[in-house]
Amino acid sequence: MSNEPIKFAYWVPNVSGGLVISQIPQRTSWDANYNRKLAQIAERAGFDYALTQIRFTAGYGADNQHESVTFSQDLLGATEKLKVIAALLPGPWNPTLAAKQIATISHLSNARIAVNIVSGWFRGEFKAIGEPWLDHEERYLRSEEFIRCLQGIWQQDSFTFAGDFYRFRDYSLKPKPLDPQPEIFQGGSSRAARDMAARVSDWYFTNGNTPEGIRQQVEDIQLKAAENQHKVKIGVNGFVIARQTEQEAQSVLRDILDNANPDAVKGFQSEVKNAGSASPEGEGNWAKSTLEDLVQYNDGFKTNLIGTPQQIAERIVELKQAGVDLMLLGFLHFQEEVEFFGREVIPRVRELERQQQPVLSHG
Ligand SMILES: Cc1cc2nc3c(=O)[nH]c(=O)nc-3n(C[C@H](O)[C@H](O)[C@H](O)COP(=O)(O)O)c2cc1C
């Protein structure tokens, strides 16, 4: 377990429909003004990061989607401390343009920009925009080359690379990003995703899960990372329903599930089969998800951050003990609930962390 305080990130609702495939009324908006205010609330509430999403077409809800890099830059302009992680999908992005865009944003934001490399799960989306649909292993091979190129371009002069997907010859990017360098996150939990994290990424982001499910992934990744002399940190998704009583929180969950749109959830279920479950090992982000789990796009109910502030704080610390460095959080009514989380949950997490610090011996 890390001695560092656990970090908090929230999903930027830059995609319409919120974070659940449900008709339940949500006081969350995907527009710019709502999101600027949310980012300001989040940084005051003690959040370290905001994660923007990339999606090029609608499918199973999410009818409108703002682009991630542009949107991230706008949120950086509205805040002072918050770091913003922009999702990049290799294919539509190539490393040349991505490295240049992010280096400029690093200068505009005093080094508060980071990236999340996503490998793709939505075949219909690739088809709609004329992108070839690579198989699962190839998608991760391409993502790994993408990450190696970003790192090479940002850190070296005369960068040269001859890969299966990308080529560079004596390329010197100027200006390079400011220090600290943009952090590289990645999303996914299949065998290929874990191996990539153990080789190149700074952060491994995974879907919601139990502390035991997370512990198994962490052990696998950290063992391999040590063999590769690589350091990687772990972020886990969770959907928060924090209320004054557990019954209240559970009844909100029931409402979300009762109002779920079954056709949309089934459509989503059939698309995510193209992700890690289509890999040779049949593992991955959604390999074991039930229909109820899928009502939250990234299995966020499984993390069970549903209850009173004290119960949620205790579960977060349990995840920290399983090797988690960052909680990536979604909410039903983002602005109000991010503020409530900062006031009621984060201080309880900090108190539990303090109690668990090893006692220093004197003399
Ligand atoms: C935290 C997180 C954020 C993600 N964000 C996006 C995104 O913005 N756009 C996207 O197309 N896919 C996104 N993904 C999906 C992943 O890139 C990947 O396709 C998916 O997790 C399949 O992983 P698997 O190989 O484990 O099955 C995200 C995944 C995670 C865990």
Side-chain angles (χ1 to χ4, degrees), residues 11 53-54 118-121 136 140 187-190 205 275-276 284-285 328:
W11 287 89
Q53 313 166 52
I54 185 61
V118 299
S119 296
W121 58 272
H136 186 262
Y140 278 94
S189 29
S190 52
F205 258 152
N285 253 4
L328 168 64

Side-chain angles (χ1 to χ4, degrees), residues 158-178:
S158 299
F159 175 64
T160 296
F161 187 88
D164 289 335
F165 298 91
Y166 306 115
R167 288 174 175 271
F168 291 89
R169 182 173 305 196
D170 285 338
Y171 177 50
S172 297
L173 173 80
K174 290 188 182 161
K176 304 255 188 290
L178 296 178

Side-chain angles (χ1 to χ4, degrees), residues 2 12 26 55 59 74 100 116 146 210 267-268 277 356 361:
S2 163
V12 174
Q26 300 187 51
R55 204 130 165 208
D74 187 72
K100 191 85 183 156
N116 183 30
F146 191 97
T210 59
F268 180 58
S277 20
Q356 293 186 349
S361 62

Side-chain angles (χ1 to χ4, degrees), residues 189 207 272 275-278 281-290 299 302:
S189 29
N207 269 9
V272 297
S277 20
E281 305 80 14
E283 296 172 4
N285 253 4
W286 296 283
K288 296 187 187 139
S289 311
T290 64
D299 277 4
K302 271 195 194 163

